[in-house]
Amino acid sequence: MGAASAGYFYNLTFVQLGLTDLGTRVVGLPEDRVARLMALLAGLTLLVALGTGMAMHLRRWSGVFVIKLRLLSVVVVLQTALTALAPGLRDEASLVGWVVAASVVLGCGVPSMFGLTCDLVPVRHRGTVAAAVTSAAFLPAAVFSSDWRIEQFAAQLLWLMVPGAAGLALLAFAPLPVTAELARQHQLRRYGAGRFVRDRVGVTGWPGRNFTLALVLMFSVYFVDSLGFLRIVDTPVYIGSAWHSTDPRILWAIGLTHVLAAVATGILYPALGLRALLAWIFGLFALAQVGYVLHALTTPELPATLGMPLLYAVAVSIYTVVNFALWADFSTPETIARNSALGVGVSGWLATFLSTSLSLALRSGGVPFAEHLRLVSAISIALLCVVLVLLVLPSGNRRATQEERG
């Protein structure tokens, strides 16, 4: 849980916000050049994640706990070194080299970290654990915000990463009894195969059409979020009254809203079908982004109400909980590396950083804030309509219906 929380916090802050600051402020690149670098990061990370996941799947390493743990340990050590080096970059060539190296490391980390879910988290508790991971990532990200500079992000994260890397390496490579015990857990029925797996024994083929649907829609969720969020946090009238406020009460309100929404989703996750959860997510995003558009068009000179970022925080926590639990619930220990590489690589990485790149490109191209958010709102509403149509369509057969309900 600690590794997952730290990893998500790292990607949310250091990679998405810190690299943008590094490229524009420190290295001095124009925003369109930074946008291309973010697209490079997204594409390479996806390719490495897919390659690593497929290699683990074909070599049958996906079900071997020790291999996944050791790969994750190496990833965290290398990521720690790259984090320490990042603030010292001063030219475009070194930044490109850093992005390529980071893409390889992050791509290897996706199937290794998420692949451990089948070994460490019982099926019935995956929603609860996902809620805890989400809360542990978003609460400090909201409350203990720095000035969003690469130097601050690196200093904050290294305090966590150095001891974490050392402890993980000890657990992975030392012959400890606890490691041997954990390596056998996935054989127990309460671990192993997820609740969306139709045949819970020996499934190694494609996980089914619901997996494909989840992949497309979760990509859309991450894309819509980043496309809107990066423009919102760069607009002073919004950031001053929300995520980058100097008032700690506002920061705590946003952080605690993340936690409450995550806990509620963790409780509801086992009871609700995937389509119902996605309908809530897209509905909240559409409502939040329409609120920002209306404010930008009517009273842009006035500070935004606190309700706008709080609603946004609820939507973000819901989809993050779902993303942490979902891919393991479509998997068995033998397929988790491949499925998580696809799920997290396509949704969490490709979508997030392609939309980051597009957001930077739109801003550098002079697209006004209101027009930018109007585009994001239109996409959100269209996706909400798609999910609402899926809610009323039959699942195809009784088995599919039972799979959808879990």
Side-chain angles (χ1 to χ4, degrees):
M1 189 185 82
S5 299
Y8 199 82
F9 180 82
Y10 182 89
N11 296 329
L12 179 71
T13 58
F14 186 86
V15 177
Q16 190 171 11
L17 299 174
L19 286 188
T20 301
D21 173 70
L22 175 62
T24 54
R25 181 183 61 84
V26 179
V27 180
L29 298 177
E31 286 189 333
D32 60 340
R33 193 80 58 83
V34 176
R36 288 197 289 270
L37 281 176
M38 297 301 281
L40 173 66
L41 177 73
L44 280 179
T45 300
L46 174 65
L47 290 176
V48 174
L50 293 178
T52 305
M54 287 304 301
M56 294 174 69
H57 179 74
L58 295 174
R59 291 179 174 271
R60 301 185 184 278
W61 291 346
S62 180
V64 182
F65 174 78
V66 173
I67 290 178
K68 292 182 286 188
L69 186 64
R70 288 178 176 175
L71 178 58
L72 178 61
S73 173
V74 172
V75 163
V76 173
V77 169
L78 293 176
Q79 209 169 350
T80 303
L82 287 170
T83 302
L85 290 173
L89 302 178
R90 289 296 181 270
D91 57 78
E92 185 176 5
S94 60
L95 179 57
V96 171
W98 191 97
V99 165
V100 171
S103 299
V104 174
V105 173
L106 292 168
C108 291
V110 169
S112 58
M113 183 175 73
F114 281 83
L116 292 171
T117 307
C118 287
D119 303 271
L120 300 177
V121 185
V123 176
R124 64 180 297 183
H125 297 311
R126 283 176 184 167
T128 305
V129 172
V133 170
T134 301
S135 300
F138 278 123
L139 183 62
V143 174
F144 305 111
S145 61
S146 66
D147 60 357
W148 289 6
R149 295 190 173 209
I150 188 70
E151 297 88 353
Q152 293 296 326
F153 283 131
Q156 288 174 346
L157 285 162
L158 286 172
W159 279 103
L160 299 173
M161 295 178 74
V162 171
L168 194 58
L170 179 65
L171 183 65
F173 292 98
L176 301 176
V178 65
T179 305
E181 183 66 27
L182 293 174
R184 294 190 291 268
Q185 274 191 164
H186 71 273
Q187 299 171 0
L188 303 175
R189 184 172 178 80
R190 66 179 183 274
Y191 292 86
R195 68 187 183 108
F196 296 129
V197 177
R198 294 183 180 182
D199 179 4
R200 293 179 176 264
V201 180
V203 177
T204 57
W206 185 253
R209 65 178 185 179
N210 279 340
F211 178 85
T212 305
L213 177 65
L215 194 62
V216 172
L217 291 177
M218 289 302 292
F219 172 92
S220 303
V221 167
Y222 273 85
F223 188 88
V224 164
D225 177 24
S226 293
L227 189 61
F229 179 75
L230 282 182
R231 192 64 185 266
I232 292 170
V233 299
D234 192 53
T235 304
V237 69
Y238 301 115
I239 199 63
S241 59
W243 294 277
H244 216 181
S245 174
T246 56
D247 186 347
R249 294 173 299 178
I250 293 177
L251 299 180
W252 276 102
I254 294 172
L256 292 176
T257 297
H258 273 300
V259 172
L260 292 175
V263 171
T265 307
I267 295 171
L268 292 174
Y269 174 79
L272 293 180
L274 175 61
R275 298 179 188 182
L277 287 167
L278 288 169
W280 275 106
I281 293 168
F282 283 119
L284 289 168
F285 267 132
L287 185 60
Q289 286 153 356
V290 166
Y292 279 105
V293 171
L294 292 175
H295 181 271
L297 292 174
T298 57
T299 56
E301 71 283 358
L302 299 178
T305 63
L306 183 57
M308 293 164 64
L310 293 185
L311 187 62
Y312 206 102
V314 172
V316 170
S317 282
I318 293 175
Y319 86 68
T320 305
V321 171
V322 172
N323 191 58
F324 274 124
L326 187 61
W327 310 117
D329 276 343
F330 275 111
S331 306
T332 65
E334 291 74 25
T335 61
I336 181 64
R338 179 200 62 189
N339 292 354
S340 62
L342 280 166
V344 179
V346 170
S347 63
W349 276 102
L350 182 63
T352 296
F353 293 102
L354 280 183
S355 60
T356 298
S357 177
L358 178 58
S359 181
L360 292 172
L362 290 173
R363 186 173 63 189
S364 66
V367 176
F369 174 82
E371 292 301 316
H372 185 121
L373 264 291
R374 187 179 293 175
L375 171 64
V376 178
S377 299
I379 296 172
S380 298
I381 293 171
L383 291 168
L384 173 62
C385 292
V386 170
V387 176
L388 291 177
V389 170
L390 290 173
L391 276 175
V392 300
L393 288 177
S395 299
N397 55 50
R398 186 174 182 180
R399 175 176 288 183
T401 302
Q402 290 173 343
E403 177 185 331
E404 175 69 18
R405 292 176 180 174

